[in-house]
Amino acid sequence: MPNYVLLLSFVGTNFHGWQVQPNLRTVQGVLKEVLEKIFQHPIKLTGCCRTDAGVHAVEYVANFPTESFFDTETLLKALNSLLPEDVGIKKVWTQEGFNARYHVKGKVYLYRILNTHARDPFLEPFCWRIPYKLDFERMASIVGLFQGLHDFSAFAKLEEEKETRIHVQEASLIGKGDLIEFRIKARNFLRYMVRRIVGSLVYVGLGKLEPKDIEEFLSGKGKCPYTAKAKGLTLEKVLL
């Protein structure tokens, strides 16, 4: 039985996240519908992670087993001819035993902040535009606090009991004029974790939080109430 793996990308603006939800447009729902049209039987589609409504992906990995066989290049062409313009398939291959949920080795998320009153319609759908002046140096000075093994429960929306200690391999903040880019790399993430980390960085930049507050959050105390807008978040890379 072939196990197909898809490398895809999507603009999350008009999606309610990845996971299928009743009466809502989701990436998994749209992709599953097209796959079932091609294969003419139900498809069990597994994604590498959940994404919130409005979040984008430059790279996303999914897989599905099927008893039918399609040449991978033919399937790539068929999918891209039928999918809407806000979803694109980059690569298709078969890999026995691969499960997108469990076998991905890590992910890199990018969050973009546009710190200006000016509006750029080419960036607006993919960033959080903040017109108030942020202290970039102050923000950059605490980014290193997020690296390493910490209890990120203060930065997460916990829907069920789960491990809240996450090892962040890399975290960086880069300024490119008015554009601020935050990147974070880890094997796995908690829900809202990246958006609340960015929210806390912004509040540090506004002078409304101190470094000691971040340290307290990272010790598992309290709850970070500041959640950055979804549209600024992009799953940039999936490590296989």
Coordinates of all heavy atoms in Angstrom, one line a residue, residues 170-234:
E170 N 16.8 27.2 18.9 CA 17.2 28.5 18.4 C 16.1 29.5 18.6 O 14.9 29.2 18.3 CB 17.7 28.5 16.9 CG 18.9 27.6 16.7 CD 19.2 27.5 15.2 OE1 18.7 28.4 14.4 OE2 19.9 26.5 14.8
A171 N 16.5 30.8 18.9 CA 15.5 31.9 18.9 C 16.3 33.1 18.5 O 17.4 33.4 19.1 CB 14.9 32.0 20.3
S172 N 15.8 33.9 17.6 CA 16.5 35.1 17.1 C 15.5 36.2 16.7 O 14.4 35.9 16.4 CB 17.4 34.7 15.9 OG 16.6 34.4 14.8
L173 N 16.0 37.4 16.8 CA 15.3 38.6 16.4 C 16.1 39.5 15.6 O 17.2 39.9 15.9 CB 14.8 39.4 17.7 CG 13.7 40.4 17.5 CD1 12.4 39.7 17.3 CD2 13.6 41.3 18.8
I174 N 15.6 39.7 14.3 CA 16.4 40.5 13.4 C 15.6 41.7 12.9 O 14.4 41.6 12.6 CB 16.7 39.6 12.1 CG1 17.6 38.4 12.5 CG2 17.5 40.4 11.1 CD1 17.8 37.4 11.4
G175 N 16.2 42.9 12.9 CA 15.6 44.1 12.4 C 16.0 44.4 11.0 O 17.2 44.4 10.7
K176 N 15.1 44.7 10.1 CA 15.3 45.0 8.7 C 14.5 46.3 8.5 O 13.5 46.3 7.8 CB 14.9 43.9 7.8 CG 15.6 42.6 8.0 CD 15.1 41.5 7.0 CE 15.8 40.2 7.2 NZ 15.3 39.2 6.2
G177 N 15.1 47.4 8.9 CA 14.3 48.7 8.8 C 13.1 48.6 9.8 O 13.2 48.3 11.0
D178 N 11.9 48.8 9.2 CA 10.7 48.8 10.0 C 10.2 47.4 10.2 O 9.3 47.1 11.0 CB 9.6 49.6 9.3 CG 9.9 51.0 9.2 OD1 10.5 51.6 10.1 OD2 9.4 51.7 8.2
L179 N 10.8 46.4 9.5 CA 10.4 45.0 9.6 C 11.2 44.3 10.7 O 12.4 44.3 10.7 CB 10.5 44.3 8.3 CG 10.0 42.9 8.2 CD1 8.5 42.9 8.4 CD2 10.3 42.3 6.8
I180 N 10.5 43.6 11.6 CA 11.2 42.8 12.7 C 10.8 41.4 12.5 O 9.6 41.1 12.4 CB 10.8 43.3 14.1 CG1 11.2 44.8 14.3 CG2 11.4 42.4 15.2 CD1 10.6 45.4 15.6
E181 N 11.8 40.5 12.4 CA 11.6 39.1 12.2 C 12.0 38.3 13.4 O 13.2 38.3 13.8 CB 12.3 38.6 10.9 CG 11.7 39.2 9.6 CD 12.4 38.6 8.4 OE1 13.4 38.0 8.5 OE2 11.8 38.8 7.3
F182 N 11.1 37.5 13.9 CA 11.4 36.6 15.0 C 11.4 35.2 14.5 O 10.4 34.8 13.9 CB 10.4 36.8 16.2 CG 10.5 35.8 17.3 CD1 11.6 35.8 18.1 CD2 9.6 34.8 17.4 CE1 11.7 34.8 19.2 CE2 9.7 33.8 18.4 CZ 10.8 33.8 19.3
R183 N 12.4 34.4 14.7 CA 12.4 33.0 14.3 C 12.7 32.1 15.6 O 13.5 32.5 16.4 CB 13.5 32.7 13.3 CG 13.1 33.1 11.9 CD 14.2 32.8 10.9 NE 13.8 33.1 9.5 CZ 13.8 34.3 9.0 NH1 14.3 35.3 9.7 NH2 13.4 34.5 7.8
I184 N 12.0 31.0 15.6 CA 12.2 30.0 16.7 C 12.2 28.6 16.1 O 11.3 28.3 15.3 CB 11.1 30.3 17.7 CG1 11.4 29.4 19.0 CG2 9.7 30.1 17.2 CD1 10.5 29.8 20.2
K185 N 13.1 27.8 16.6 CA 13.2 26.4 16.2 C 13.1 25.5 17.3 O 13.8 25.7 18.4 CB 14.6 26.2 15.5 CG 14.9 24.8 15.0 CD 16.3 24.7 14.4 CE 16.7 23.3 14.1 NZ 18.1 23.3 13.5
A186 N 12.3 24.4 17.2 CA 12.2 23.4 18.2 C 11.6 22.1 17.6 O 11.0 22.2 16.5 CB 11.3 23.9 19.4
R187 N 11.6 21.0 18.3 CA 11.0 19.8 17.7 C 9.5 19.9 17.8 O 8.8 19.5 16.8 CB 11.5 18.6 18.6 CG 10.9 17.3 18.0 CD 11.5 16.1 18.8 NE 10.9 14.8 18.2 CZ 11.3 14.2 17.2 NH1 12.4 14.6 16.6 NH2 10.7 13.1 16.8
N188 N 9.0 20.5 18.8 CA 7.5 20.6 18.9 C 7.2 21.9 19.7 O 8.0 22.5 20.3 CB 6.9 19.4 19.6 CG 7.4 19.2 21.0 OD1 8.6 19.0 21.2 ND2 6.6 19.3 22.0
F189 N 5.9 22.3 19.5 CA 5.5 23.6 20.1 C 4.1 23.4 20.8 O 3.3 22.5 20.3 CB 5.3 24.7 19.1 CG 6.6 25.1 18.5 CD1 7.2 24.4 17.4 CD2 7.3 26.2 19.0 CE1 8.4 24.8 16.8 CE2 8.5 26.7 18.4 CZ 9.1 25.9 17.3
L190 N 3.8 24.2 21.8 CA 2.5 24.2 22.4 C 1.6 25.1 21.6 O 2.0 26.1 21.0 CB 2.6 24.5 23.8 CG 3.4 23.7 24.7 CD1 3.6 24.3 26.1 CD2 2.9 22.3 24.8
R191 N 0.3 24.9 21.7 CA -0.7 25.8 21.1 C -0.5 27.3 21.6 O -0.5 27.5 22.8 CB -2.1 25.3 21.2 CG -3.1 26.1 20.3 CD -4.4 25.5 20.3 NE -5.3 26.2 19.3 CZ -6.6 26.2 19.3 NH1 -7.3 25.5 20.2 NH2 -7.2 26.8 18.4
Y192 N -0.5 28.2 20.7 CA -0.3 29.7 21.0 C 1.1 30.0 21.5 O 1.3 31.2 21.8 CB -1.4 30.2 22.0 CG -2.8 30.3 21.5 CD1 -3.1 29.8 20.2 CD2 -3.8 30.8 22.3 CE1 -4.4 29.9 19.8 CE2 -5.1 30.9 21.8 CZ -5.4 30.4 20.6 OH -6.7 30.5 20.1
M193 N 2.0 29.1 21.7 CA 3.3 29.3 22.3 C 4.0 30.4 21.5 O 4.5 31.4 22.2 CB 4.1 28.0 22.3 CG 5.5 28.1 22.8 SD 6.3 26.5 22.9 CE 8.0 27.0 22.7
V194 N 4.2 30.3 20.2 CA 5.0 31.3 19.5 C 4.3 32.6 19.5 O 4.9 33.7 19.8 CB 5.2 30.8 18.0 CG1 6.0 31.9 17.3 CG2 5.9 29.5 18.0
R195 N 3.0 32.7 19.4 CA 2.3 33.9 19.3 C 2.3 34.7 20.7 O 2.4 35.9 20.8 CB 0.8 33.7 18.9 CG 0.7 33.3 17.5 CD -0.7 32.9 17.1 NE -1.7 33.9 17.4 CZ -3.0 33.7 17.4 NH1 -3.5 32.5 17.2 NH2 -3.9 34.7 17.6
R196 N 2.3 33.9 21.8 CA 2.4 34.5 23.1 C 3.9 34.9 23.4 O 4.1 35.9 24.2 CB 1.8 33.6 24.2 CG 0.3 33.6 24.1 CD -0.4 32.8 25.1 NE -1.8 33.0 25.0 CZ -2.7 32.2 25.6 NH1 -2.3 31.2 26.4 NH2 -4.0 32.4 25.4
I197 N 4.8 34.2 22.9 CA 6.2 34.6 23.1 C 6.4 36.0 22.4 O 7.0 36.9 22.9 CB 7.2 33.6 22.5 CG1 7.3 32.4 23.4 CG2 8.6 34.2 22.3 CD1 8.1 31.2 22.8
V198 N 5.9 36.1 21.1 CA 6.0 37.4 20.4 C 5.2 38.5 21.1 O 5.7 39.6 21.2 CB 5.4 37.2 19.0 CG1 5.4 38.5 18.3 CG2 6.3 36.2 18.2
G199 N 4.0 38.1 21.6 CA 3.3 39.1 22.4 C 4.1 39.6 23.6 O 4.0 40.9 23.9
S200 N 4.8 38.8 24.3 CA 5.6 39.2 25.4 C 6.7 40.1 25.0 O 7.1 41.1 25.6 CB 6.1 38.0 26.2 OG 7.0 37.3 25.5
L201 N 7.4 39.7 23.8 CA 8.5 40.5 23.3 C 8.0 41.9 22.9 O 8.7 42.9 23.2 CB 9.0 39.9 22.0 CG 10.0 38.7 22.2 CD1 10.3 38.0 20.9 CD2 11.2 39.1 22.9
V202 N 6.8 42.0 22.3 CA 6.2 43.3 22.0 C 6.0 44.2 23.2 O 6.3 45.4 23.3 CB 4.9 43.2 21.2 CG1 4.2 44.5 21.1 CG2 5.2 42.6 19.8
Y203 N 5.5 43.5 24.3 CA 5.2 44.3 25.5 C 6.5 44.7 26.2 O 6.6 45.7 26.9 CB 4.3 43.5 26.4 CG 2.8 43.8 26.1 CD1 2.2 43.3 25.0 CD2 2.1 44.6 27.0 CE1 0.9 43.6 24.7 CE2 0.8 44.9 26.7 CZ 0.2 44.4 25.5 OH -1.1 44.8 25.2
V204 N 7.6 43.9 26.0 CA 8.9 44.4 26.5 C 9.3 45.6 25.7 O 9.8 46.6 26.2 CB 9.9 43.2 26.4 CG1 11.4 43.7 26.6 CG2 9.6 42.1 27.4
G205 N 9.1 45.5 24.4 CA 9.5 46.6 23.5 C 8.7 47.9 23.8 O 9.2 49.0 23.5
L206 N 7.5 47.7 24.3 CA 6.7 48.9 24.7 C 6.9 49.4 26.1 O 6.3 50.3 26.6 CB 5.2 48.5 24.5 CG 4.7 48.3 23.1 CD1 3.3 47.7 23.1 CD2 4.7 49.6 22.3
G207 N 7.8 48.6 26.8 CA 8.1 49.0 28.2 C 7.0 48.5 29.2 O 7.0 49.0 30.4
K208 N 6.2 47.6 28.8 CA 5.1 47.2 29.7 C 5.4 45.9 30.4 O 4.6 45.4 31.3 CB 3.8 47.0 28.9 CG 3.3 48.4 28.4 CD 2.0 48.2 27.6 CE 1.5 49.6 27.1 NZ 0.2 49.4 26.4
L209 N 6.5 45.2 30.0 CA 7.0 44.0 30.7 C 8.5 44.2 30.9 O 9.2 44.8 30.1 CB 6.8 42.8 29.9 CG 5.4 42.1 29.9 CD1 5.4 40.9 29.0 CD2 5.0 41.7 31.3
E210 N 9.0 43.6 32.0 CA 10.4 43.6 32.3 C 11.0 42.2 32.0 O 10.3 41.2 32.1 CB 10.7 44.0 33.8 CG 10.1 45.4 34.1 CD 10.9 46.5 33.4 OE1 12.1 46.3 33.1 OE2 10.2 47.5 33.1
P211 N 12.3 42.1 31.8 CA 13.0 40.8 31.7 C 12.7 39.8 32.8 O 12.5 38.6 32.5 CB 14.5 41.2 31.6 CG 14.5 42.6 31.1 CD 13.3 43.2 31.6
K212 N 12.5 40.3 34.0 CA 12.2 39.4 35.1 C 10.8 38.8 35.0 O 10.6 37.7 35.4 CB 12.3 40.2 36.5 CG 11.4 41.3 36.6 CD 11.6 42.0 38.0 CE 10.7 43.2 38.2 NZ 9.2 42.9 38.1
D213 N 9.9 39.5 34.3 CA 8.6 39.0 34.0 C 8.7 37.8 33.1 O 8.0 36.8 33.3 CB 7.7 40.0 33.4 CG 7.4 41.2 34.3 OD1 7.2 41.0 35.5 OD2 7.5 42.4 33.9
I214 N 9.6 37.9 32.1 CA 9.8 36.8 31.1 C 10.4 35.6 31.8 O 10.0 34.5 31.6 CB 10.7 37.2 30.0 CG1 10.1 38.5 29.3 CG2 10.9 36.1 29.0 CD1 8.7 38.3 28.7
E215 N 11.3 35.8 32.7 CA 12.0 34.8 33.4 C 11.0 34.0 34.3 O 11.0 32.8 34.5 CB 13.1 35.3 34.3 CG 14.3 35.8 33.4 CD 15.4 36.5 34.2 OE1 15.1 36.8 35.4 OE2 16.5 36.8 33.7
E216 N 10.0 34.8 34.9 CA 9.0 34.2 35.7 C 8.1 33.3 34.9 O 7.7 32.2 35.3 CB 8.2 35.3 36.5 CG 7.2 34.8 37.5 CD 6.7 35.9 38.4 OE1 7.5 36.6 39.0 OE2 5.5 36.0 38.5
F217 N 7.7 33.9 33.7 CA 6.8 33.1 32.8 C 7.5 31.7 32.5 O 6.9 30.7 32.4 CB 6.5 33.8 31.5 CG 5.6 35.0 31.7 CD1 5.7 36.1 30.9 CD2 4.6 35.0 32.7 CE1 4.8 37.2 31.0 CE2 3.7 36.0 32.9 CZ 3.8 37.1 32.0
L218 N 8.8 31.8 32.2 CA 9.6 30.6 31.8 C 9.8 29.6 32.9 O 10.3 28.5 32.6 CB 10.9 31.1 31.1 CG 10.8 31.7 29.8 CD1 12.2 32.4 29.4 CD2 10.4 30.7 28.7
S219 N 9.5 30.0 34.1 CA 9.6 29.1 35.2 C 8.3 28.4 35.4 O 8.1 27.6 36.4 CB 10.1 29.8 36.5 OG 9.1 30.7 36.9
G220 N 7.3 28.7 34.6 CA 6.0 28.1 34.7 C 5.0 28.8 35.6 O 4.0 28.3 35.8
K221 N 5.4 30.0 36.0 CA 4.6 30.8 36.9 C 3.7 31.8 36.1 O 4.2 32.4 35.1 CB 5.4 31.5 37.9 CG 6.2 30.6 38.8 CD 7.1 31.4 39.7 CE 8.0 30.5 40.6 NZ 8.9 31.3 41.4
G222 N 2.5 32.0 36.5 CA 1.6 33.0 35.9 C 1.2 32.6 34.5 O 1.3 31.4 34.1
K223 N 0.7 33.6 33.8 CA 0.2 33.3 32.4 C 0.4 34.6 31.6 O 0.0 35.7 32.0 CB -1.3 33.0 32.5 CG -2.0 32.8 31.1 CD -1.5 31.5 30.5 CE -1.9 30.3 31.2 NZ -1.6 29.0 30.5
C224 N 1.1 34.4 30.5 CA 1.3 35.5 29.6 C 0.0 35.8 28.8 O -0.5 35.0 28.1 CB 2.4 35.2 28.5 SG 2.6 36.5 27.3
P225 N -0.6 37.0 29.1 CA -1.9 37.3 28.5 C -1.8 37.9 27.1 O -2.9 38.3 26.5 CB -2.5 38.3 29.5 CG -1.3 39.0 30.0 CD -0.1 38.1 30.0
Y226 N -0.6 38.1 26.6 CA -0.5 38.9 25.3 C -0.3 37.9 24.2 O 0.8 37.3 24.0 CB 0.7 39.8 25.5 CG 0.7 40.6 26.8 CD1 1.7 40.4 27.7 CD2 -0.3 41.5 27.1 CE1 1.7 41.1 28.9 CE2 -0.4 42.2 28.3 CZ 0.7 42.0 29.2 OH 0.7 42.6 30.4
T227 N -1.2 37.8 23.3 CA -1.2 36.9 22.1 C -1.1 37.7 20.9 O -2.0 38.5 20.5 CB -2.4 36.0 22.1 OG1 -2.6 35.3 23.3 CG2 -2.3 34.9 21.0
A228 N 0.0 37.5 20.1 CA 0.2 38.2 18.9 C -0.8 37.8 17.8 O -1.3 36.7 17.9 CB 1.6 38.0 18.4
K229 N -1.1 38.6 16.9 CA -2.1 38.3 15.8 C -1.6 37.1 15.0 O -0.4 37.0 14.7 CB -2.3 39.5 14.9 CG -3.0 40.7 15.6 CD -3.3 41.8 14.6 CE -4.1 42.9 15.3 NZ -4.4 44.0 14.3
A230 N -2.6 36.3 14.6 CA -2.2 35.1 13.9 C -1.6 35.3 12.5 O -0.7 34.6 12.1 CB -3.5 34.2 13.7
K231 N -2.0 36.4 11.9 CA -1.6 36.6 10.5 C -0.1 36.9 10.3 O 0.5 36.7 9.3 CB -2.4 37.8 9.8 CG -2.1 39.1 10.4 CD -2.8 40.2 9.6 CE -2.4 41.6 10.1 NZ -3.0 42.6 9.2
G232 N 0.6 37.2 11.4 CA 2.0 37.5 11.4 C 2.8 36.2 11.5 O 4.1 36.2 11.3
L233 N 2.2 35.1 11.8 CA 2.9 33.8 12.0 C 2.9 32.9 10.8 O 1.9 32.7 10.1 CB 2.2 33.1 13.2 CG 2.9 31.7 13.6 CD1 4.3 32.0 14.1 CD2 2.1 31.1 14.7
T234 N 4.1 32.4 10.5 CA 4.3 31.5 9.3 C 5.1 30.3 9.7 O 6.2 30.5 10.4 CB 5.0 32.2 8.2 OG1 4.2 33.3 7.7 CG2 5.2 31.3 7.0

